[in-house]
Amino acid sequence: MATEHEFDVVIVGAGGAGMRAALESSQRAKTAVITKLYPTRSHTGAAQGGMAAALANVEDDNAEWHTFDTIKGGDYLVDQDAAEILCNEAIDAVLDLEKMGLPFNRTPEGRVDQRRFGGHTRNHGEAAVRRACYAADRTGHMILQTLYQQCIKQEVEFFNEFYVLDLILDGDPQAAGEDGEVAAAGVVAYSLQTGEVHTFRAKSVIFATGGAGKVFKTTSNAHTLTGDGMGIALRAGIPLEDMEFFQFHPTGLAGLGILLSEAARGEGGILRNSEGERFMERYAPTIKDLAPRDMVARAMANEVREGRGCGPHKDYVLLDLTHLEPSHIDEKLPDITEFARTYLGVEPYTEPVPVYPTAHYAMGGIPTNVQGEVLRDNTHVVKGLYAAGECACVSVHGANRLGTNSLLDINVFGRRAGIAAAEYAVATAETPALPADASAQIEGLVASLRETVGGEGTERVAQIRKELQETMDRNVQVFRTAESLAEAHAVVKDLQERYKAIAIHDRGTRFNTDLLEAIELGFLLELSEVVIAGAEARKESRGGHYREDFPTRDDENFMQHTMAYKRADGTVDLDWKPVVVTKYQPMERKY
Amino acid sequence: MSPLPTLYRGAEGMWMWVVHRTTGVAIFFFLLVHILDTALVRVSPEAYNDVIGHYKTPLYTFIEAGLVAAITLHALNGLRVIAVDRWTWALRHQKMLVWGVWIGFAIVMAGFLPRHLMHAFGGA
Amino acid sequence: MTAPADAPVTTDAIPTMTVTLKILRFDPDGLDGREPGTEYWEEFQIEAHATDRVLDALHMIKWEQDGTLAFRRSCAHGVCGSDAMRINARNRLACKTLLKDLNPAKPIMVEPIKGLPVEKDLIVDMEPFFASYREIMPFLMTSGPTPERERLQSPEDRERYDDTTKCILCAACTTSCPVFWTDGQYFGPQAIVGAHRFIFDSRDEGEWDRLEILNDKAGVWKCRTAFNCTEACPRGIEVTKAISEVKHALNTGEI
Amino acid sequence: MTGAPELKAPKKAVSHSTLGRAQRWSWIFQRVSGVLLIGLIAVHLTVNLVMGDGINQIDFAFVAGKLANPFWQWFDFTMLVLAMIHGANGMRMIINDYAQTPWIAATLHWALRISTVVIVILGTLVLFTFDPCPAGSDPSLLPSFCEDI
Ligand SMILES: Cc1cc2nc3c(=O)[nH]c(=O)nc-3n(C[C@H](O)[C@H](O)[C@H](O)COP(=O)(O)OP(=O)(O)OC[C@H]3O[C@@H](n4cnc5c(N)ncnc54)[C@H](O)[C@@H]3O)c2cc1C
Ligand code: HEM
Ligand code: SF4
Ligand code: F3S
Ligand code: FES
């Protein structure tokens, strides 16, 4: 029988979003944080460049310009009310972190220093502005550490190395209709250490499980970013929004995907092709190398496609930092230059670094309103269910996230979700009861996977994952066409079939990572299908989604979000949801 | 294959710590014995001379030499440890200082050993 | 499948080589007829590139040969601190150690970090380690009203504790310290690094609380300057220097 | 939008001051005594093992000769006390490190304490109550100045 726990608020995930929510929630209600990694291992710690806020510490700036940049950067698919909140609350979000002790870099006057970042401009696109608050090139590391430290101070209760595998709802989100009510009841988790299944009964549940970069092969994301939260929500009948929008970061270490922050270009780094040309001058004459990521990534892929790539296979371009002072590099970009040295053996002081776009960020995710409440359709919320961070889609990033807006997102909406979840829990007298068989499904799943050990299953988890990731890289990356998507779709369908015949190796109970990799692959397979389905339906090019067969943006038909539902029979259905427009009418995105 | 784990491959610093610790213990036990035997002077001259006579055998000559070696190493490394905790320069160059300790040790022993052995085995 | 899923595409043309890994395993469940708690060495052979990481090699084993092999990992580029282990008898991150840096002609020895209870294969119980970290109160302590804007800090004051902010809590330092192995009472170098980060932060006012804790018998005086911690730190933190600065602060009362 | 979240008051440090100070003093003492010991031991070894006839000269007469001189009495006393405390303190740290079982640790600590105290007292008594010319001894074993008495 599963071990049972009861809390007011259960937070799934201890990255930036999860811990920011926990700091709020734990002050107001009995809170547990369940995380499959030790909190400090979360991938927020990998974020490098900075966190945007119009502090105006070094240059004239304001939240309205920031809002505009966010909306334009997101290719007008941004919900503008949410973007306004994001940018207005940004300033306090940064100041809050500073007050919690975050060691930001400082200006000579002792204020939080700021630097340039792609797509962030002064006065609606006039010139690049210094808006990103940073701590060398380890801003995310500092955020994660600072939040964890505050959680220690507040004695937040963590369940480390617990994998949440199921969400229990009171009611069926797809059958509830207009007046029905659906509420969160709790989650089911698997303890890596003991192999036991635990149930957590709760009035509020917050998902903050991060991204899903591992659907691709070349990615800046951690091995553990397998989109569990999104997958669990989808299986529970909740739609996923805008999943076709995946950000490919221009400067991943070639072949490895390890990220070199945009800060490298913010500090003056230049992209060059095999002819040594600063090719971004052709694609974005005004802000050149600091154009939004989707444009730079496409430009790079295009250079390679047209034969101007570098290296023996002509399959990457170069990031040139050699004209920068070594001392400046050491001060502002110490870690990423270290990556180039360690993994490629390249000395950035004197040699340009091979780079190529890498799958980086999921713009889409679990749809929420600005309070972090999860939507079960275009308008209705699931009571007591919240999502924040990369796994959520408030839609502040639209079709393309601006650099440094995600660390902002996790702080602003993590905080909002934490407050809202706790307040809801406090206002709700009764903790919904968990059905007696709440844990049965996961116990069954675990048991059936254990039984595949030594059975007749012929398929290997690693092999299927590899084929999936290669297909996604080949067909669903920077350039997409109807054919490439159809091919990917077929492959994914086939892999889903083959997944049913997998056999794992480890039947043990303690630290059975073999078993969990198999479960994680299940999420990846489902999410890939949603990504592809959205990409097929979106017959236009917008932000991170570029269809070679439909190379322009089509506001007439597609200025709306996709909502993907998984039906009981396993098929994925798409619906559309309007974009919230307040002040800014779509115009062409030129830089 | 045996389930024995490997020996941690620390660098100079770790091995000097091992040396410091072992020499410290060795000197301590020597000191205990040494004070006890010296205390025999209070018993009677015969008793003392009897025991101290053993120091003049070849075996004890080597033990005496080892003692001097241990004290020298312990003392020089003690100075290194003090320096490392006191000055950042020494901290950053602690490996160089390890070699300094061994060179100092070699010099002291080169000065001491021939004289000691000559005293012990006659000659000069 | 000879290359790991994320092997550099650019090295496709480079020939692979056979590498042997000897892994110290620990089986908590007692599978395949072993007693629960059996510890044993097991040898694996893989085809790999010189530029592959030890983590890639472990993945090749786990994904192609023996799925029961257990180790922690996440970011795969040395920023999350999951995969500290003993590689060729020295603490390192598997994801930051390339095969070519190890002399792959000889078997590569991989063991769990030392001094924490082993749970399974390369996975150890991190709880005692994190408990020491929590013990030193690793959070900003201030008094007086919170300012409206940021607390000011000069770039020089910021620089003072920069080194120790880099820590990713990987435990490579603490579990390389010979004093930590002996009794496990010692807070270990990481806890001192964690305390240093706040003690020398000009905004913090809890420095004496922390210094008093480190003045304890499990504290900073246990350090015998063995330098294993500094050598092991994958973030290049001068751990022994940080410890020395804490000792100095305790001795002189100056920070 | 409110400011930083309301945070709980920080826990106060438990005061370990006496024990803590002991650790610190022990650390400082090891260093100070170490430096002093270098000088003392160097002179001691040079006088006893290097100068004159080296190891062969050491006998009752030699020791008695030295200990009749108050300078050497105090010199040896300082060396005795410093070395014993330094050594015993070092041994105490080592026992703390390796003796895991409480009763073993306690036994060793007591053994160390008792032997240290005994040795220091014994050594001191010998140094200061020493009679270089004990009555009734074979004069050939005594220092030459005994003949004058
Ligand atoms: C290399 C890199 C650099 C970046 N740089 C920047 C930057 O400079 N600026 C910027 O704004 N953004 C940047 N980003 C994006 C940003 O860092 C992430 O989007 C953001 O940190 C995500 O935070 P999160 O809290 O949502 O998720 P994460 O930090 O990924 O945390 C996810 C949490 O969920 C837990 N979890 C997952 N699945 C489960 C499960 N099944 N059960 C229990 N727990 C689970 C994990 O344990 C983890 O604690 C970068 C991203 C990467 C990859
Ligand atoms: C000759 C001059 C000496 C010097 C300069 C010296 C120096 C030191 C120093 C600095 C330490 C502390 C090491 C640390 O904290 O890491 C130490 C430890 C020690 N010393 Fe000495 N010492 C000397 C003589 C002696 C003598 C004569 C003895 C024996 C009686 C001795 C026994 C020890 C022991 C047992 C330790 C503990 C070692 C450990 O904890 O690892 N030392 N010494
Ligand atoms: S100080 Fe270095 S080795 Fe120690 S935990 Fe931190 S990062 Fe790891
Ligand atoms: S290895 Fe240990 S002894 Fe001190 S210098 Fe480092 S903490
Ligand atoms: S896997 Fe993150 S540090 Fe190695």
Side-chain angles (χ1 to χ4, degrees):
Chain A
M1 223 11 251
T3 314
E4 286 174 32
H5 307 262
E6 192 181 323
F7 288 90
D8 290 331
V9 181
V10 160
I11 299 174
V12 185
M19 289 202 285
R20 190 67 186 83
L23 287 180
E24 298 298 337
S25 158
S26 65
Q27 294 177 58
R28 299 170 166 90
K30 188 169 180 255
T31 302
V33 181
I34 311 176
T35 167
K36 73 177 181 181
L37 303 172
Y38 274 92
T40 53
R41 315 282 189 240
S42 302
H43 211 55
T44 294
Q48 303 165 350
M51 170 169 169
L55 290 183
N57 274 359
V58 282
E59 281 175 11
D60 200 13
D61 199 5
N62 63 53
E64 195 273 323
W65 295 349
H66 186 185
T67 311
F68 172 78
D69 289 337
T70 302
I71 292 165
K72 179 179 172 195
D75 228 348
Y76 297 93
L77 200 70
V78 173
D79 282 339
Q80 299 187 1
D81 55 340
E84 278 169 29
I85 291 173
L86 180 81
C87 300
N88 286 330
E89 294 187 4
I91 294 158
D92 277 330
V94 167
L95 294 178
D96 282 356
L97 286 170
E98 198 283 330
K99 285 166 196 158
M100 293 180 199
L102 196 140
F104 283 110
N105 276 38
R106 299 289 171 154
T107 64
E109 303 77 51
R111 303 206 161 277
V112 174
D113 198 11
Q114 297 184 281
R115 65 173 161 211
R116 298 193 180 92
F117 238 80
H120 290 282
T121 67
R122 167 158 46 90
N123 196 13
H124 312 98
E126 261 178 29
V129 73
R130 292 171 57 163
R131 185 178 290 148
C133 309
Y134 67 102
D137 53 358
R138 23 186 121 84
T139 316
H141 164 77
M142 301 297 193
I143 291 179
L144 192 68
Q145 295 288 328
T146 303
L147 291 176
Y148 181 59
Q149 289 157 356
Q150 290 299 320
C151 285
I152 292 178
K153 185 176 184 180
Q154 293 200 30
E155 294 171 16
V156 169
E157 194 168 346
F158 285 102
F159 290 81
N160 295 329
E161 300 193 322
F162 273 63
Y163 286 65
V164 169
L165 297 179
D166 201 4
L167 164 68
I168 308 296
L169 296 177
D170 191 2
D172 177 349
Q174 294 191 6
E178 285 291 309
D179 345 278
E181 206 169 83
V182 185
V187 295
V188 182
Y190 171 96
S191 157
L192 183 65
Q193 188 190 23
T194 62
E196 281 165 17
V197 173
H198 294 240
T199 58
F200 291 81
R201 216 175 122 188
K203 295 176 187 166
S204 306
V205 173
I206 306 178
F207 273 79
T209 54
K214 277 289 152 182
V215 297
F216 292 95
K217 175 179 155 196
T218 310
T219 174
S220 64
N221 283 197
H223 283 288
T224 46
L225 284 179
T226 47
D228 304 7
M230 302 175 193
I232 292 166
L234 186 71
R235 284 179 192 174
I238 289 160
L240 294 181
E241 182 175 345
D242 284 345
M243 288 298 285
E244 64 274 27
F245 293 104
F246 222 97
Q247 179 165 80
F248 299 92
H249 192 291
T251 51
L253 281 187
L256 289 165
I258 296 171
L259 194 78
L260 299 187
S261 168
E262 197 166 302
R265 281 170 288 136
E267 297 294 344
I270 291 170
L271 290 166
R272 298 187 189 283
N273 59 20
S274 60
E275 289 151 21
E277 182 204 6
R278 182 179 193 178
F279 58 86
M280 280 314 296
E281 283 176 338
R282 267 188 281 123
Y283 296 88
T286 335
I287 52 176
K288 305 186 182 85
D289 298 275
L290 282 175
R293 292 178 176 172
D294 56 326
M295 296 175 84
V296 182
R298 255 189 326 269
M300 290 167 68
N302 198 48
E303 290 299 301
V304 165
R305 220 162 45 157
E306 292 180 359
R308 291 188 294 277
C310 309
H313 301 279
K314 293 184 151 304
D315 57 358
Y316 55 78
V317 299
L318 294 171
L319 175 65
D320 188 359
L321 299 171
T322 56
H323 54 288
L324 301 178
E325 280 295 314
S327 64
H328 185 74
I329 296 182
D330 284 347
E331 191 193 332
K332 297 292 173 64
L333 309 165
D335 279 6
I336 61 172
T337 42
E338 166 86 11
F339 296 153
R341 281 181 207 121
T342 308
Y343 296 108
L344 292 184
V346 168
E347 174 49 66
Y349 295 160
T350 53
E351 296 165 80
V353 186
V355 290
Y356 197 72
T358 178
H360 184 54
Y361 184 86
M363 265 78 73
I366 306 170
T368 72
N369 62 20
V370 293
Q371 308 308 335
E373 289 176 287
V374 171
L375 301 172
R376 61 180 162 86
D377 54 31
N378 287 1
T379 44
H380 294 88
V381 300
V382 178
K383 294 210 136 141
L385 184 61
Y386 302 80
E390 192 170 337
C391 74
C393 180
V394 206
S395 208
V396 285
H397 306 307
N400 171 57
R401 170 177 73 88
L402 285 191
T404 68
N405 263 358
S406 171
L407 290 180
L408 178 58
D409 175 11
I410 60 179
N411 278 290
V412 167
F413 289 100
R415 174 178 168 279
R416 285 180 154 252
I419 295 173
E423 280 174 356
Y424 173 81
V426 171
T428 307
E430 282 284 311
T431 314
L434 283 182
D437 62 348
S439 61
Q441 201 195 338
I442 294 308
E443 274 162 357
L445 173 70
V446 169
S448 68
L449 275 168
R450 282 217 177 95
E451 260 150 40
T452 66
V453 179
E456 58 253 37
T458 48
E459 297 289 349
R460 288 286 191 74
V461 169
Q463 182 62 27
I464 294 182
R465 184 173 50 214
K466 180 171 182 265
E467 288 180 34
L468 171 72
Q469 292 170 338
E470 284 178 351
T471 296
M472 293 297 284
D473 260 23
R474 200 167 38 246
N475 298 313
V476 198
Q477 225 217 14
V478 177
F479 295 114
R480 300 164 173 179
T481 64
E483 294 75 50
S484 75
L485 292 170
E487 183 189 325
H489 209 147
V491 172
V492 169
K493 276 286 176 207
D494 178 51
L495 292 174
Q496 286 176 344
E497 248 349 273
R498 284 170 56 191
Y499 177 71
K500 292 178 184 151
I502 53 166
I504 64 167
H505 273 141
D506 193 348
R507 75 171 90 235
T509 50
R510 296 173 63 79
F511 291 92
N512 191 338
T513 49
D514 197 27
L515 183 125
L516 285 150
E517 281 192 30
I519 297 177
E520 288 171 339
L521 174 62
F523 294 129
L524 290 180
L525 285 167
E526 278 180 56
L527 294 178
S528 308
E529 190 184 353
V530 176
V531 171
I532 296 167
E536 285 180 311
R538 190 172 285 281
K539 296 187 172 51
E540 65 158 350
S541 290
R542 182 188 296 269
H545 169 72
Y546 188 82
R547 288 280 300 257
E548 292 193 84
D549 37 4
F550 301 96
T552 51
R553 196 172 80 194
D554 175 359
D555 288 338
E556 191 101 7
N557 295 305
F558 293 107
M559 206 171 106
Q560 38 186 346
H561 305 286
T562 55
M563 297 283 273
Y565 295 82
K566 182 147 186 118
R567 302 300 180 200
D569 62 1
T571 55
V572 174
D573 267 358
L574 280 188
D575 194 6
W576 301 90
K577 184 177 131 202
V579 173
V580 181
V581 177
T582 55
K583 291 205 262 241
Y584 306 94
Q585 286 311 314
M587 43 183 208
E588 198 195 340
R589 207 161 55 114
K590 265 212 313 251
Y591 288 94
Chain B
M1 276 186 283
S2 92
L4 271 183
T6 57
L7 194 61
Y8 195 88
R9 261 211 259 161
E12 286 88 340
M14 175 176 122
W15 296 115
M16 285 318 281
W17 166 77
V18 172
V19 166
H20 198 83
R21 197 156 253 207
T22 10
T23 52
V25 174
I27 303 167
F28 181 76
F29 281 110
F30 175 87
L31 190 63
L32 284 189
V33 177
H34 183 54
I35 293 171
L36 286 176
D37 65 45
T38 305
L40 289 176
V41 294
R42 193 76 188 90
V43 178
S44 77
E46 287 81 5
Y48 181 76
N49 283 356
D50 197 35
V51 170
I52 216 72
H54 288 293
Y55 284 160
K56 294 167 189 170
T57 61
L59 177 67
Y60 267 88
T61 307
F62 284 112
I63 294 182
E64 286 269 281
L67 174 75
V68 172
I71 291 182
T72 314
L73 261 183
H74 185 93
L76 290 176
N77 189 57
L79 289 180
R80 168 181 158 271
V81 166
I82 293 169
V84 157
D85 264 324
R86 185 69 193 69
W87 296 285
T88 308
W89 180 90
L91 187 129
R92 294 211 166 119
H93 295 82
Q94 55 95 8
K95 289 193 179 173
M96 214 174 82
L97 292 178
V98 170
W99 298 113
V101 167
W102 286 104
I103 290 166
F105 171 70
I107 292 171
V108 171
M109 291 316 278
F112 169 76
L113 269 188
R115 234 188 120 69
H116 180 65
L117 296 180
M118 275 188 292
H119 283 314
F121 298 107
Chain C
M1 181 169 134
T2 52
D6 41 10
V9 284
T10 41
T11 58
D12 271 355
I14 298 171
T16 59
M17 56 185 177
T18 306
V19 181
T20 306
L21 282 95
K22 271 193 190 179
I23 302 178
L24 186 60
R25 304 201 55 179
F26 178 86
D27 176 1
D29 290 308
L31 302 173
D32 301 330
R34 283 182 294 262
E35 282 289 307
T38 311
E39 215 181 5
Y40 58 102
W41 282 98
E42 192 168 359
E43 216 176 283
F44 296 94
Q45 252 146 24
I46 48 149
E47 289 294 314
H49 297 289
T51 51
D52 283 340
R53 297 160 260 195
V54 172
L55 180 63
D56 297 324
L58 292 173
H59 270 148
M60 282 183 237
I61 295 170
K62 182 173 182 65
W63 292 343
E64 293 158 31
Q65 301 183 26
D66 184 354
T68 64
L69 181 67
F71 50 90
R72 290 193 180 98
R73 90 284 186 259
S74 182
C75 72
H77 64 285
V79 298
C80 76
S82 297
D83 58 346
M85 50 186 78
R86 230 165 349 141
I87 299 170
N88 281 355
R90 230 176 251 170
N91 281 3
R92 324 180 203 231
L93 295 180
C95 64
K96 266 195 109 172
T97 311
L98 305 194
L99 296 177
K100 69 178 160 75
D101 302 334
L102 286 177
N103 180 16
K106 286 210 278 185
I108 295 169
M109 316 287 281
V110 184
E111 298 153 86
I113 44 179
K114 195 169 161 173
L116 294 168
V118 180
E119 298 263 19
K120 179 177 181 183
D121 297 343
L122 303 172
I123 295 181
V124 299
D125 179 5
M126 298 293 287
E127 205 29 55
F129 171 79
F130 278 102
S132 295
Y133 180 62
R134 290 195 296 267
E135 195 87 6
I136 51 99
M137 305 197 282
F139 38 77
L140 193 75
M141 292 194 247
T142 54
S143 59
T146 19
E148 209 169 298
R149 295 278 296 192
E150 63 262 54
R151 291 197 165 80
L152 299 184
Q153 179 167 59
S154 70
E156 296 70 43
D157 283 345
R158 166 68 179 75
E159 179 59 28
R160 183 79 187 80
Y161 64 101
D162 184 62
D163 203 33
T164 42
T165 61
K166 296 190 272 185
C167 176
I168 53 175
L169 291 153
C170 69
C173 55
T174 294
T175 59
S176 76
C177 174
V179 181
F180 180 77
W181 302 330
T182 56
D183 68 345
Q185 297 293 306
Y186 179 33
F187 284 140
Q190 193 290 321
I192 303 171
V193 165
H196 179 283
R197 178 249 171 275
F198 286 101
I199 292 171
F200 293 92
D201 185 334
S202 58
R203 298 168 297 173
D204 185 76
E205 292 165 38
E207 62 271 24
W208 281 101
D209 296 332
R210 276 183 217 101
L211 283 170
E212 219 18 76
I213 295 172
L214 292 179
N215 205 4
D216 185 43
K217 67 171 190 289
V220 65
W221 306 115
K222 269 194 116 77
C223 167
R224 307 252 81 86
T225 52
F227 282 94
N228 278 5
C229 51
T230 303
E231 308 253 344
C233 179
R235 302 285 281 172
I237 298 171
E238 289 183 289
V239 182
T240 313
K241 178 161 173 277
I243 298 174
S244 250
E245 287 172 358
V246 171
K247 288 175 185 164
H248 191 75
L250 276 168
N251 277 331
T252 62
E254 284 163 30
I255 290 168
Chain D
M1 174 102 191
T2 60
E6 293 272 320
L7 299 169
K8 280 188 195 165
K11 290 168 281 188
K12 264 277 161 264
V14 201
S15 177
H16 300 272
S17 41
T18 27
L19 256 183
R21 271 185 215 123
Q23 301 304 316
R24 184 162 76 86
W25 286 119
S26 135
W27 184 88
I28 293 173
F29 177 80
Q30 286 305 84
R31 272 136 247 269
V32 174
S33 61
V35 172
L36 294 176
L37 278 168
I38 290 198
L40 296 168
I41 294 178
V43 172
H44 178 78
L45 289 179
T46 319
V47 170
N48 285 13
L49 295 183
V50 182
M51 293 197 352
D53 209 6
I55 194 168
N56 298 318
Q57 69 194 349
I58 297 179
D59 58 9
F60 183 82
F62 177 82
V63 176
K66 272 179 76 184
L67 290 189
N69 182 341
F71 171 79
W72 287 117
Q73 260 182 340
W74 284 103
F75 182 95
D76 279 12
F77 174 71
T78 320
M79 186 165 69
L80 167 79
V81 172
L82 282 182
M84 275 313 288
I85 302 183
H86 176 101
N89 190 33
M91 291 302 287
R92 178 189 61 84
M93 300 191 280
I94 295 175
I95 295 170
N96 274 340
D97 279 358
Y98 294 107
Q100 309 281 9
T101 332
W103 72 266
I104 297 185
T107 316
L108 288 175
H109 277 309
W110 278 111
L112 179 68
R113 266 171 230 159
I114 292 167
S115 51
T116 307
V117 170
V118 167
I119 294 280
V120 170
I121 291 176
L122 181 71
T124 313
L125 285 177
V126 168
L127 284 176
F128 290 104
T129 67
F130 177 67
D131 175 3
C133 311
S137 300
D138 180 350
S140 70
L141 300 175
L142 303 180
S144 49
F145 58 77
C146 288
E147 288 162 24
D148 303 340
I149 303 168

